[in-house]
Coordinates of all heavy atoms in Angstrom, one line a residue:
M1 N 0.8 -1.2 0.0 CA 0.0 0.0 0.0 C 0.9 1.2 0.0 O 1.9 1.3 0.7 CB -0.9 0.0 1.2 CG -1.9 -1.1 1.2 SD -3.0 -1.1 2.7 CE -2.0 -2.0 3.8
N2 N 0.5 2.2 -0.8 CA 1.2 3.5 -0.8 C 0.3 4.7 -0.9 O -0.8 4.6 -1.3 CB 2.2 3.5 -1.9 CG 1.6 3.3 -3.3 OD1 0.5 3.0 -3.4 ND2 2.4 3.6 -4.3
I3 N 0.8 5.8 -0.4 CA 0.1 7.1 -0.4 C 0.2 7.7 -1.8 O 1.3 8.0 -2.2 CB 0.6 8.0 0.7 CG1 0.5 7.4 2.1 CG2 -0.1 9.4 0.6 CD1 1.3 8.1 3.1
K4 N -0.9 7.8 -2.5 CA -0.9 8.5 -3.8 C -0.9 10.0 -3.7 O -0.2 10.7 -4.3 CB -2.1 8.0 -4.6 CG -2.3 8.6 -5.9 CD -1.3 8.2 -6.9 CE -1.6 8.8 -8.3 NZ -0.6 8.7 -9.2
S5 N -1.8 10.5 -2.8 CA -1.8 11.9 -2.6 C -2.4 12.3 -1.2 O -3.1 11.5 -0.6 CB -2.7 12.6 -3.7 OG -4.0 12.2 -3.6
I6 N -2.1 13.5 -0.7 CA -2.7 14.0 0.5 C -3.1 15.5 0.1 O -2.3 16.2 -0.3 CB -1.7 14.1 1.7 CG1 -1.3 12.6 2.0 CG2 -2.4 14.7 2.9 CD1 -0.2 12.6 3.1
E7 N -4.4 15.8 0.4 CA -4.9 17.1 0.1 C -5.6 17.6 1.3 O -6.3 16.9 2.0 CB -5.8 17.1 -1.1 CG -5.2 16.6 -2.4 CD -6.2 16.4 -3.5 OE1 -7.4 16.8 -3.4 OE2 -5.8 15.8 -4.5
R8 N -5.5 19.0 1.5 CA -6.2 19.6 2.6 C -6.9 20.8 1.9 O -6.4 21.5 1.1 CB -5.3 20.1 3.6 CG -4.6 19.0 4.4 CD -3.7 19.5 5.4 NE -4.5 19.9 6.6 CZ -4.2 20.8 7.4 NH1 -3.0 21.5 7.3 NH2 -5.0 21.2 8.4
E9 N -8.2 21.0 2.3 CA -8.9 22.2 1.8 C -9.8 22.8 2.9 O -10.4 22.0 3.7 CB -9.7 21.8 0.6 CG -10.8 20.8 0.8 CD -11.6 20.3 -0.4 OE1 -12.5 21.1 -0.8 OE2 -11.2 19.3 -1.0
D10 N -10.0 24.1 2.8 CA -10.9 24.7 3.8 C -12.3 24.4 3.4 O -12.7 24.3 2.2 CB -10.7 26.3 3.7 CG -9.3 26.7 4.2 OD1 -8.8 26.0 5.1 OD2 -8.8 27.7 3.7
I11 N -13.2 24.2 4.4 CA -14.6 24.1 4.1 C -15.2 25.4 4.2 O -15.2 26.1 5.3 CB -15.2 23.1 5.1 CG1 -14.6 21.7 5.0 CG2 -16.7 23.0 4.9 CD1 -15.0 20.7 6.1
P12 N -15.8 25.9 3.1 CA -16.3 27.3 3.1 C -17.3 27.6 4.2 O -18.2 26.7 4.5 CB -17.0 27.4 1.7 CG -16.3 26.4 0.9 CD -16.0 25.3 1.8
G13 N -17.2 28.7 4.8 CA -18.2 29.1 5.9 C -17.9 28.5 7.2 O -18.7 28.7 8.2
T14 N -16.8 27.8 7.4 CA -16.4 27.2 8.7 C -15.0 27.4 8.9 O -14.2 27.9 8.1 CB -16.7 25.7 8.7 OG1 -15.7 25.0 7.9 CG2 -18.1 25.3 8.2
S15 N -14.5 27.0 10.1 CA -13.1 27.0 10.4 C -12.5 25.6 10.2 O -11.4 25.4 10.6 CB -12.9 27.5 11.8 OG -13.5 26.6 12.7
E16 N -13.3 24.7 9.6 CA -12.8 23.3 9.4 C -12.0 23.2 8.2 O -12.1 23.9 7.2 CB -14.0 22.4 9.3 CG -15.0 22.5 10.5 CD -14.4 21.8 11.7 OE1 -13.6 20.9 11.6 OE2 -14.8 22.2 12.8
I17 N -11.1 22.2 8.3 CA -10.2 21.8 7.1 C -10.5 20.3 6.8 O -10.4 19.5 7.8 CB -8.7 22.0 7.4 CG1 -8.5 23.5 7.7 CG2 -7.9 21.5 6.3 CD1 -7.1 23.8 8.2
L18 N -10.8 20.0 5.6 CA -11.0 18.6 5.2 C -9.7 18.0 4.6 O -9.1 18.6 3.8 CB -12.1 18.6 4.1 CG -12.3 17.2 3.5 CD1 -13.0 16.3 4.5 CD2 -13.2 17.3 2.3
T19 N -9.3 16.9 5.2 CA -8.1 16.2 4.7 C -8.5 15.0 4.0 O -9.4 14.2 4.5 CB -7.2 15.8 5.9 OG1 -6.8 17.0 6.6 CG2 -5.9 15.1 5.4
T20 N -8.0 14.8 2.8 CA -8.3 13.6 2.0 C -7.0 13.0 1.5 O -6.2 13.6 1.0 CB -9.2 14.0 0.7 OG1 -10.4 14.6 1.2 CG2 -9.6 12.8 -0.1
V21 N -6.9 11.7 1.8 CA -5.7 10.9 1.4 C -6.2 9.8 0.5 O -7.2 9.1 0.7 CB -5.1 10.3 2.7 CG1 -3.9 9.4 2.3 CG2 -4.7 11.3 3.7
T22 N -5.4 9.7 -0.6 CA -5.7 8.6 -1.6 C -4.6 7.5 -1.4 O -3.4 7.9 -1.4 CB -5.6 9.1 -3.0 OG1 -6.6 10.2 -3.2 CG2 -5.9 8.0 -4.0
I23 N -5.0 6.3 -1.2 CA -4.1 5.2 -1.0 C -4.3 4.2 -2.1 O -5.5 3.9 -2.5 CB -4.5 4.4 0.3 CG1 -4.5 5.4 1.5 CG2 -3.5 3.3 0.6 CD1 -3.2 5.9 2.0
E24 N -3.2 3.8 -2.7 CA -3.3 2.8 -3.8 C -2.5 1.5 -3.4 O -1.7 1.5 -2.5 CB -2.7 3.3 -5.1 CG -3.5 4.5 -5.7 CD -2.9 4.9 -7.0 OE1 -1.7 4.8 -7.3 OE2 -3.8 5.4 -7.8
G25 N -2.8 0.4 -4.0 CA -2.2 -0.8 -3.8 C -2.8 -1.6 -2.6 O -2.1 -2.4 -1.9
V26 N -4.0 -1.3 -2.2 CA -4.7 -2.0 -1.1 C -5.0 -3.4 -1.6 O -5.9 -3.6 -2.4 CB -5.9 -1.2 -0.7 CG1 -6.6 -1.9 0.5 CG2 -5.6 0.2 -0.2
T27 N -4.4 -4.4 -1.0 CA -4.7 -5.8 -1.3 C -5.7 -6.4 -0.5 O -6.4 -7.3 -0.9 CB -3.4 -6.6 -1.3 OG1 -2.8 -6.5 0.0 CG2 -2.4 -6.1 -2.3
S28 N -5.9 -5.9 0.7 CA -6.9 -6.4 1.7 C -7.6 -5.2 2.3 O -7.0 -4.5 3.1 CB -6.3 -7.3 2.8 OG -7.3 -7.6 3.7
Q29 N -8.9 -5.0 1.9 CA -9.6 -3.9 2.5 C -9.8 -4.0 4.0 O -9.8 -3.0 4.7 CB -11.0 -3.8 1.8 CG -10.8 -3.6 0.3 CD -12.0 -4.0 -0.5 OE1 -13.0 -4.4 0.0 NE2 -11.9 -3.8 -1.8
C30 N -10.0 -5.2 4.5 CA -10.1 -5.4 5.9 C -8.9 -5.0 6.7 O -8.9 -4.3 7.7 CB -10.5 -6.9 6.1 SG -10.8 -7.3 7.9
I31 N -7.7 -5.5 6.2 CA -6.5 -5.2 6.9 C -6.2 -3.7 6.8 O -5.8 -3.0 7.8 CB -5.3 -6.0 6.3 CG1 -5.5 -7.5 6.7 CG2 -3.9 -5.4 6.7 CD1 -4.5 -8.4 6.0
F32 N -6.5 -3.1 5.6 CA -6.3 -1.6 5.4 C -7.1 -0.9 6.5 O -6.6 0.0 7.2 CB -6.7 -1.3 4.0 CG -6.9 0.2 3.8 CD1 -5.8 1.0 3.8 CD2 -8.1 0.8 3.5 CE1 -5.9 2.4 3.6 CE2 -8.3 2.1 3.3 CZ -7.2 2.9 3.3
A33 N -8.4 -1.2 6.6 CA -9.3 -0.5 7.5 C -8.8 -0.7 9.0 O -8.8 0.3 9.7 CB -10.7 -1.0 7.4
R34 N -8.4 -1.9 9.3 CA -7.9 -2.1 10.7 C -6.6 -1.3 11.0 O -6.5 -0.8 12.1 CB -7.6 -3.6 10.9 CG -8.8 -4.4 11.0 CD -8.5 -5.9 11.2 NE -9.8 -6.7 11.2 CZ -9.8 -8.0 11.2 NH1 -8.7 -8.7 11.2 NH2 -10.9 -8.6 11.2
L35 N -5.7 -1.2 10.0 CA -4.5 -0.4 10.2 C -4.8 1.0 10.4 O -4.2 1.7 11.3 CB -3.5 -0.6 9.0 CG -2.8 -1.9 8.8 CD1 -2.1 -2.0 7.5 CD2 -1.9 -2.2 10.0
I36 N -5.7 1.6 9.6 CA -6.0 3.0 9.7 C -6.8 3.3 11.1 O -6.5 4.2 11.8 CB -6.9 3.5 8.6 CG1 -6.2 3.3 7.2 CG2 -7.4 4.9 8.8 CD1 -4.9 4.1 7.1
I37 N -7.7 2.4 11.4 CA -8.4 2.6 12.7 C -7.5 2.4 13.9 O -7.6 3.2 14.9 CB -9.6 1.6 12.8 CG1 -10.7 2.0 11.8 CG2 -10.2 1.5 14.2 CD1 -11.8 1.0 11.5
A38 N -6.5 1.5 13.8 CA -5.5 1.3 14.9 C -4.7 2.6 15.0 O -4.3 3.0 16.2 CB -4.6 0.1 14.6
A39 N -4.4 3.3 13.9 CA -3.5 4.5 14.0 C -4.3 5.7 14.4 O -3.8 6.6 15.1 CB -2.9 4.7 12.6
M40 N -5.6 5.8 13.9 CA -6.3 7.1 14.1 C -7.5 7.0 15.1 O -8.1 8.0 15.4 CB -6.8 7.6 12.7 CG -5.6 8.0 11.8 SD -6.1 8.8 10.4 CE -6.6 10.4 11.0
G41 N -7.8 5.8 15.5 CA -8.9 5.6 16.4 C -10.2 5.2 15.7 O -10.2 5.1 14.5
K42 N -11.3 5.0 16.5 CA -12.5 4.6 15.9 C -13.3 5.7 15.3 O -13.6 6.7 16.0 CB -13.3 3.9 17.0 CG -12.7 2.6 17.5 CD -13.6 2.0 18.6 CE -12.9 0.7 19.1 NZ -13.7 0.1 20.2
P43 N -13.8 5.5 14.1 CA -14.7 6.5 13.4 C -15.9 6.7 14.3 O -16.5 5.8 14.8 CB -15.0 6.0 12.1 CG -13.9 5.0 11.8 CD -13.5 4.4 13.1
G44 N -16.3 8.0 14.4 CA -17.5 8.3 15.2 C -17.2 8.5 16.7 O -18.1 9.0 17.4
I45 N -16.1 8.0 17.1 CA -15.7 8.1 18.6 C -14.5 9.0 18.7 O -14.5 10.0 19.4 CB -15.5 6.7 19.2 CG1 -16.7 5.9 19.2 CG2 -14.9 6.9 20.6 CD1 -16.6 4.5 19.6
D46 N -13.4 8.6 18.0 CA -12.1 9.4 18.1 C -11.9 10.3 17.0 O -11.0 11.2 17.0 CB -11.0 8.4 18.1 CG -11.1 7.4 19.2 OD1 -11.3 7.8 20.4 OD2 -10.9 6.2 19.0
N47 N -12.7 10.2 15.9 CA -12.5 11.0 14.7 C -13.8 11.0 13.9 O -14.8 10.4 14.2 CB -11.3 10.5 13.9 CG -11.5 9.1 13.6 OD1 -12.4 8.6 13.0 ND2 -10.5 8.3 14.0
D48 N -13.7 11.6 12.7 CA -14.9 11.6 11.8 C -14.4 11.0 10.4 O -14.8 11.5 9.4 CB -15.6 12.9 11.6 CG -14.6 14.0 11.1 OD1 -13.4 13.7 10.9 OD2 -15.1 15.1 10.8
L49 N -13.6 10.0 10.5 CA -13.1 9.3 9.2 C -14.2 8.8 8.4 O -15.2 8.3 8.8 CB -12.2 8.1 9.6 CG -10.9 8.3 10.2 CD1 -10.3 7.0 10.5 CD2 -10.0 9.1 9.3
E50 N -14.0 8.9 7.0 CA -14.9 8.3 6.1 C -13.9 7.5 5.1 O -12.9 8.0 4.7 CB -15.7 9.3 5.3 CG -16.8 9.9 6.0 CD -17.7 10.8 5.1 OE1 -17.5 10.7 3.9 OE2 -18.5 11.5 5.7
F51 N -14.3 6.3 4.8 CA -13.6 5.4 3.9 C -14.4 5.3 2.6 O -15.6 5.0 2.7 CB -13.4 4.0 4.4 CG -12.5 3.9 5.6 CD1 -12.9 4.1 6.9 CD2 -11.1 3.6 5.4 CE1 -12.1 4.0 8.0 CE2 -10.3 3.5 6.5 CZ -10.8 3.7 7.8
I52 N -13.8 5.6 1.5 CA -14.5 5.5 0.2 C -13.6 4.8 -0.8 O -12.5 5.2 -0.9 CB -14.9 6.9 -0.4 CG1 -15.7 7.7 0.7 CG2 -15.7 6.8 -1.7 CD1 -15.8 9.2 0.4
G53 N -14.1 3.8 -1.5 CA -13.3 3.1 -2.5 C -13.7 1.7 -2.7 O -14.7 1.2 -2.2
S54 N -12.9 1.1 -3.6 CA -13.1 -0.3 -3.9 C -11.8 -0.8 -4.5 O -11.0 0.0 -5.0 CB -14.3 -0.5 -4.8 OG -14.1 0.0 -6.0
G55 N -11.7 -2.1 -4.6 CA -10.5 -2.7 -5.2 C -9.2 -2.2 -4.4 O -9.2 -2.2 -3.2
D56 N -8.3 -1.8 -5.2 CA -7.0 -1.4 -4.6 C -6.8 0.1 -4.4 O -5.8 0.6 -3.9 CB -5.8 -1.9 -5.4 CG -5.6 -1.2 -6.7 OD1 -6.5 -0.5 -7.2 OD2 -4.5 -1.4 -7.3
R57 N -7.8 0.9 -4.7 CA -7.7 2.4 -4.5 C -8.8 2.8 -3.5 O -10.0 2.7 -3.7 CB -7.9 3.1 -5.8 CG -7.7 4.5 -5.7 CD -7.8 5.2 -7.1 NE -7.7 6.6 -7.0 CZ -6.9 7.4 -7.7 NH1 -6.1 6.8 -8.5 NH2 -6.9 8.7 -7.5
W58 N -8.3 3.5 -2.5 CA -9.2 4.0 -1.4 C -8.9 5.5 -1.0 O -7.8 5.9 -1.1 CB -9.1 3.1 -0.2 CG -9.8 1.8 -0.4 CD1 -9.4 0.8 -1.1 CD2 -11.1 1.5 0.1 NE1 -10.3 -0.2 -1.1 CE2 -11.4 0.2 -0.4 CE3 -12.1 2.2 0.8 CZ2 -12.6 -0.4 -0.1 CZ3 -13.3 1.6 1.1 CH2 -13.5 0.3 0.6
L59 N -10.0 6.2 -0.6 CA -9.8 7.5 -0.1 C -10.2 7.5 1.3 O -11.2 6.8 1.7 CB -10.8 8.5 -0.9 CG -10.6 8.6 -2.4 CD1 -11.7 9.5 -2.9 CD2 -9.3 9.2 -2.7
I60 N -9.5 8.2 2.1 CA -9.9 8.5 3.5 C -10.0 10.0 3.7 O -9.1 10.7 3.3 CB -8.8 8.0 4.5 CG1 -8.3 6.6 4.2 CG2 -9.2 8.0 5.9 CD1 -7.0 6.3 4.9
S61 N -11.1 10.4 4.3 CA -11.4 11.8 4.5 C -11.7 12.1 5.9 O -12.4 11.2 6.6 CB -12.5 12.3 3.6 OG -12.2 12.2 2.2
W62 N -11.3 13.2 6.5 CA -11.7 13.6 7.8 C -11.5 15.1 8.1 O -10.8 15.7 7.3 CB -10.9 12.8 8.9 CG -9.4 13.1 8.9 CD1 -8.8 14.1 9.7 CD2 -8.4 12.5 8.2 NE1 -7.5 14.1 9.5 CE2 -7.1 13.1 8.6 CE3 -8.3 11.4 7.3 CZ2 -5.9 12.7 8.1 CZ3 -7.1 11.1 6.8 CH2 -5.9 11.7 7.2
T63 N -12.1 15.6 9.1 CA -11.9 16.9 9.6 C -11.2 16.9 10.9 O -10.6 17.9 11.3 CB -13.2 17.8 9.6 OG1 -14.1 17.2 10.5 CG2 -13.8 18.0 8.2
H64 N -11.5 15.9 11.7 CA -10.9 15.7 13.0 C -10.2 14.3 13.1 O -10.9 13.4 12.7 CB -11.9 15.9 14.1 CG -12.5 17.2 14.2 ND1 -11.8 18.3 14.7 CD2 -13.7 17.7 13.7 CE1 -12.6 19.4 14.6 NE2 -13.7 19.1 14.0
P65 N -9.0 14.2 13.5 CA -8.2 15.2 14.1 C -7.5 16.1 13.1 O -7.4 15.7 11.9 CB -7.1 14.4 14.8 CG -7.0 13.2 14.0 CD -8.4 12.9 13.5
Q66 N -7.2 17.3 13.5 CA -6.5 18.3 12.6 C -5.0 18.0 12.7 O -4.4 18.1 13.7 CB -6.8 19.7 13.1 CG -8.2 20.2 12.8 CD -8.5 20.3 11.4 OE1 -7.7 20.8 10.6 NE2 -9.7 19.9 11.0
L67 N -4.5 17.5 11.5 CA -3.1 17.2 11.4 C -2.5 18.0 10.3 O -3.2 18.3 9.3 CB -2.8 15.7 11.2 CG -3.5 14.7 12.1 CD1 -3.3 13.3 11.6 CD2 -2.8 14.8 13.5
T68 N -1.2 18.4 10.4 CA -0.6 19.1 9.3 C -0.3 18.0 8.2 O -0.4 16.8 8.4 CB 0.8 19.7 9.7 OG1 1.7 18.6 10.1 CG2 0.6 20.6 10.9
L69 N 0.1 18.5 7.0 CA 0.4 17.6 5.9 C 1.6 16.7 6.4 O 1.5 15.5 6.1 CB 0.8 18.4 4.7 CG -0.4 19.0 3.9 CD1 0.2 19.9 2.8 CD2 -1.3 18.0 3.4
A70 N 2.6 17.2 7.0 CA 3.7 16.4 7.4 C 3.3 15.4 8.5 O 3.7 14.2 8.4 CB 4.8 17.3 8.0
E71 N 2.5 15.8 9.4 CA 2.0 14.8 10.4 C 1.2 13.7 9.8 O 1.3 12.5 10.2 CB 1.2 15.5 11.5 CG 1.9 16.5 12.4 CD 1.1 17.4 13.3 OE1 -0.1 17.7 12.9 OE2 1.5 17.7 14.4
T72 N 0.3 14.1 8.9 CA -0.5 13.1 8.2 C 0.3 12.1 7.4 O 0.2 10.9 7.5 CB -1.5 13.8 7.2 OG1 -2.3 14.7 8.0 CG2 -2.4 12.8 6.5
R73 N 1.3 12.6 6.6 CA 2.2 11.8 5.9 C 3.0 10.8 6.8 O 3.1 9.6 6.5 CB 3.1 12.6 5.0 CG 4.0 11.7 4.1 CD 4.7 12.4 3.0 NE 3.9 13.1 2.1 CZ 3.3 12.4 1.1 NH1 3.4 11.2 0.9 NH2 2.5 13.1 0.3
E74 N 3.5 11.3 7.9 CA 4.3 10.5 8.8 C 3.5 9.4 9.4 O 3.9 8.3 9.5 CB 4.9 11.4 9.8 CG 5.8 10.6 10.8 CD 6.5 11.5 11.9 OE1 6.4 12.8 11.7 OE2 7.0 11.0 12.8
L75 N 2.3 9.8 9.9 CA 1.4 8.8 10.5 C 1.0 7.7 9.6 O 1.1 6.5 9.9 CB 0.1 9.5 11.1 CG -0.9 8.6 11.7 CD1 -0.4 7.9 12.9 CD2 -2.2 9.4 12.0
L76 N 0.6 8.1 8.4 CA 0.1 7.1 7.4 C 1.3 6.2 6.9 O 1.1 5.1 6.6 CB -0.7 7.7 6.3 CG -2.0 8.3 6.8 CD1 -2.7 9.0 5.6 CD2 -2.9 7.2 7.4
T77 N 2.4 6.8 6.7 CA 3.6 6.1 6.2 C 4.0 5.0 7.2 O 4.2 3.9 6.9 CB 4.8 7.0 6.0 OG1 4.4 8.0 4.9 CG2 6.0 6.2 5.5
K78 N 4.0 5.4 8.5 CA 4.3 4.4 9.6 C 3.2 3.3 9.6 O 3.5 2.2 9.9 CB 4.4 5.1 10.9 CG 5.7 5.9 11.0 CD 5.8 6.6 12.4 CE 7.0 7.4 12.5 NZ 7.1 8.1 13.8
T79 N 2.0 3.7 9.4 CA 0.8 2.8 9.5 C 0.8 1.8 8.4 O 0.6 0.6 8.6 CB -0.5 3.6 9.5 OG1 -0.5 4.5 10.6 CG2 -1.7 2.7 9.6
L80 N 1.1 2.3 7.2 CA 1.0 1.4 6.0 C 2.2 0.5 5.8 O 2.2 -0.5 5.1 CB 0.7 2.2 4.8 CG -0.6 3.0 4.8 CD1 -0.8 3.9 3.6 CD2 -1.8 2.0 5.0
A81 N 3.4 1.0 6.3 CA 4.6 0.2 6.2 C 5.4 0.1 7.5 O 6.4 0.8 7.6 CB 5.5 0.8 5.1
P82 N 4.8 -0.6 8.5 CA 5.5 -0.6 9.8 C 6.9 -1.2 9.7 O 7.1 -2.1 8.9 CB 4.5 -1.4 10.7 CG 3.7 -2.1 9.7 CD 3.6 -1.4 8.4
A83 N 7.7 -0.7 10.6 CA 9.1 -1.2 10.6 C 9.2 -2.6 11.2 O 8.4 -2.9 12.1 CB 10.0 -0.2 11.3

C-alpha cells in the first residue's frame, strides 16, 4: 500500500479543514481498515473518518483530528509500512 496523494482544503463558511488521502495498492480492504483505525482511532468516537473506495484504491477523508500535511504523511507512512 502506498500514499498516492494528500490534500487539505478549507470548508467554506467554517473554520474546518477537510483532509483527503488517496491510498493505492490496497490488497486487503479489511487489513487496510484495521491499520487505519488502529492508527487514528474509531470513526464516530475518536474522529470523523470516512472510507470511500473499492479494489486497490481508497480515499480516507476527515476533519478531526486536525493534522498538518507532514503529520498526516508521517502517521500514514508508519501505519501502512510498519518497521
Side-chain angles (χ1 to χ4, degrees):
M1 292 181 274
N2 60 348
I3 301 167
K4 173 72 175 171
S5 66
I6 300 174
E7 299 174 8
R8 295 182 76 207
E9 63 182 277
D10 293 328
I11 299 174
T14 73
S15 61
E16 302 289 333
I17 297 172
L18 177 67
T19 302
T20 303
V21 179
T22 303
I23 307 289
E24 291 186 333
V26 176
T27 56
S28 171
Q29 298 159 2
C30 182
I31 291 171
F32 168 68
R34 288 180 183 173
L35 289 172
I36 298 300
I37 291 169
M40 296 191 71
K42 294 180 181 179
I45 297 173
D46 302 313
N47 56 54
D48 60 354
L49 289 176
E50 288 189 10
F51 293 85
I52 304 166
S54 65
D56 71 344
R57 185 179 174 125
W58 283 79
L59 302 175
I60 312 165
S61 295
W62 69 87
T63 58
H64 295 283
Q66 290 291 317
L67 304 171
T68 66
L69 286 173
E71 290 169 331
T72 300
R73 181 168 299 282
E74 182 178 347
L75 175 65
L76 292 177
T77 298
K78 287 179 182 178
T79 299
L80 299 175

